Every structure is written in C-alpha cells, then in structure tokens.
Amino acid sequence: MAEYKLDCMFEACPIPLLKALKQLNTMQVGDLLIMQTDHNCSITNVVEWTKKQGHYIDYIEIGEGEWEIYIEKAK
C-alpha cells in the first residue's frame, strides 16, 4: 500500500476535487491518498464524490479550519 499526499491548501472548489481525481487515476487499489485542505466546501464535495465512486473515505480537522481527508482507493 502506497501513500500519497496532496496539498490543497488555499485552493477553492473544484480544484481539490480535480486534483484528487487526477491522483486517484494514477494509484493502485489499496493505496491511500491524504489531502490537506482549508476549504470546508472541499469536505462536502470530495466526500460526496468519493462515496459515489465507491472508495473509502474519512476526514479529521487537524487545526482550526484545516482538514485532512483520507481516501483509500477501493476499485
């Protein structure tokens, strides 16, 4: 299982979602993508999109207004 980090700080939607899509296309099943964002709209959009795609997702707030989103590629 490989781990990839994606810095999406100071980027508004849909840029984080597009970056996640591009990165996921290069990953293998079971790999983990960790996104960092400070745009709360990304939580809604990325989480909703990821669930629809069938990948595993979770997120935590790591600081005031900053989150890490964990996406495990499932297919």
Side-chain angles (χ1 to χ4, degrees):
M1 178 179 95
E3 187 175 294
Y4 301 89
K5 293 197 175 192
L6 195 56
D7 183 2
C8 296
M9 300 296 276
F10 311 110
E11 295 179 326
C13 286
I15 300 301
L17 180 59
L18 295 173
K19 284 180 139 182
L21 175 61
K22 184 176 180 180
Q23 183 64 50
L24 282 165
N25 284 335
T26 67
M27 295 168 50
Q28 302 295 317
V29 172
D31 288 351
L32 181 66
L33 174 62
I34 302 171
M35 297 176 62
Q36 292 182 320
T37 184
D38 61 348
H39 196 254
N40 63 357
C41 182
S42 294
I43 299 297
T44 304
N45 292 339
V46 172
V47 169
E48 186 175 304
W49 176 84
T50 301
K51 286 181 178 177
K52 285 182 182 176
Q53 298 303 310
H55 304 300
Y56 305 110
I57 187 164
D58 199 4
Y59 62 91
I60 60 169
E61 187 168 10
I62 57 172
E64 188 172 332
E66 296 179 2
W67 296 270
E68 278 188 346
I69 303 171
Y70 302 89
I71 303 171
E72 182 181 337
K73 188 169 182 171
K75 58 180 181 176

